[in-house]
Amino acid sequence: MHSDRPRDVLIPPLGLAGTLTLPVNARGLIAFAHGSGSSRLSPRNTLVARALNHRGLATLLFDLLTPQEEQDRSNVFNIVMLGDRLVAAIDWLQSQTSAIADLPIGLFGASTGAAAALIAAARLPDRVAAVVSRGGRPDLAGNALPHVRAPTLLIVGGADSGVIGLNEGALARLQEPKALEIIPGATHLFPEPGAMDAVIEHASRWFERYLHSPSSVRAASRQSQ
């Protein structure tokens, strides 16, 4: 599927820079939350976004911090603030035309951005339909984890040993549906041949399975129990 050209946007109230891509007949929209030291221009997230566009999913890549805020390293670990930024982005998306506002929303978080995505999902249980974490620190979402109702997939590199344990601990605190996928031999940034391809495949399948209205996902989950 051919996607429309990416469109530069500004997310209120701070005017955070973003890139919105809306494929023809999009079936859902994925908002990205990048990790520490990264931005909307992250080559790994951009790669994932393009793959999702080709599968008929719209994407929003945006900066979680202003240029001034990026100068203070502590801001990249202010998970509550980053979660607030993601909530504001979702609010903005749902104030747009029906072609955007009516799409079910998924979140894709990397590194510390994964914790922000989970905090946003916990705060917006009726609006976030699915979450995927890549090499994330979901543990940093803390007490928000048990309140996440969106189906959540945690993807970790098999050679990222310390982060594997943190993801296993976070997984235990999440509600079903949930899953942990370990990419054999991959390190934290998944630079190994085929590693990002595996991430894209797992993430795409998860979104395609669960990117419906959150209420319908929960109803199906209860029926299967």
Side-chain angles (χ1 to χ4, degrees):
M1 175 179 292
H2 296 290
S3 60
D4 293 344
R5 284 190 174 186
R7 176 162 62 97
D8 291 334
V9 297
L10 295 175
I11 310 297
L14 298 176
L16 299 172
T19 303
L20 177 67
T21 304
L22 183 65
V24 177
N25 299 321
R27 295 177 288 107
L29 190 151
I30 312 303
F32 283 70
H34 58 77
S36 56
S38 189
S39 72
R40 73 187 187 284
L41 303 177
S42 160
R44 289 166 292 278
N45 281 353
T46 299
L47 184 66
V48 175
R50 285 178 184 157
L52 294 176
N53 294 153
H54 286 304
R55 293 186 184 226
L57 295 174
T59 54
L60 173 67
L61 294 152
F62 75 104
D63 291 338
L64 294 172
L65 300 172
T66 66
Q68 293 76 20
E69 290 170 337
E70 289 175 352
Q71 303 306 311
D72 184 349
R73 178 69 179 169
S74 67
N75 282 328
V76 303
F77 293 100
N78 189 338
I79 305 303
V80 173
M81 181 179 73
L82 299 182
D84 289 343
R85 302 290 167 85
L86 200 49
V87 168
I90 294 170
D91 287 342
W92 175 80
L93 285 168
Q94 299 199 310
S95 72
Q96 303 302 298
T97 63
S98 60
I100 297 171
D102 292 345
L103 295 174
I105 292 176
L107 303 178
F108 185 98
S111 190
T112 53
L118 289 165
I119 285 178
R123 288 180 54 187
L124 302 174
D126 296 322
R127 288 195 275 171
V128 176
V131 178
V132 173
S133 161
R134 171 183 63 80
R137 289 291 309 275
D139 56 297
L140 294 177
N143 291 332
L145 288 169
H147 301 287
V148 176
R149 293 158 68 184
T152 300
L153 172 64
L154 308 178
I155 305 174
V156 190
D160 199 5
S161 56
V163 174
I164 292 175
L166 295 173
N167 275 257
E168 289 173 337
L171 184 74
R173 302 184 66 192
L174 289 167
Q175 299 185 41
E176 297 285 352
K178 60 184 178 181
L180 172 64
E181 290 287 350
I182 298 177
I183 309 301
T187 51
H188 187 60
L189 296 180
F190 299 87
E192 294 76 17
M196 281 303 300
D197 291 335
V199 168
I200 289 169
E201 189 60 30
H202 286 304
S204 298
R205 288 181 180 178
W206 193 261
F207 286 132
E208 288 169 352
R209 180 178 182 183
Y210 290 114
L211 204 61
H212 310 289
S213 70
S215 58
S216 68
V217 171
R218 288 194 293 274
S221 178
R222 285 194 297 270
Q223 292 172 2
S224 66
Q225 292 176 356

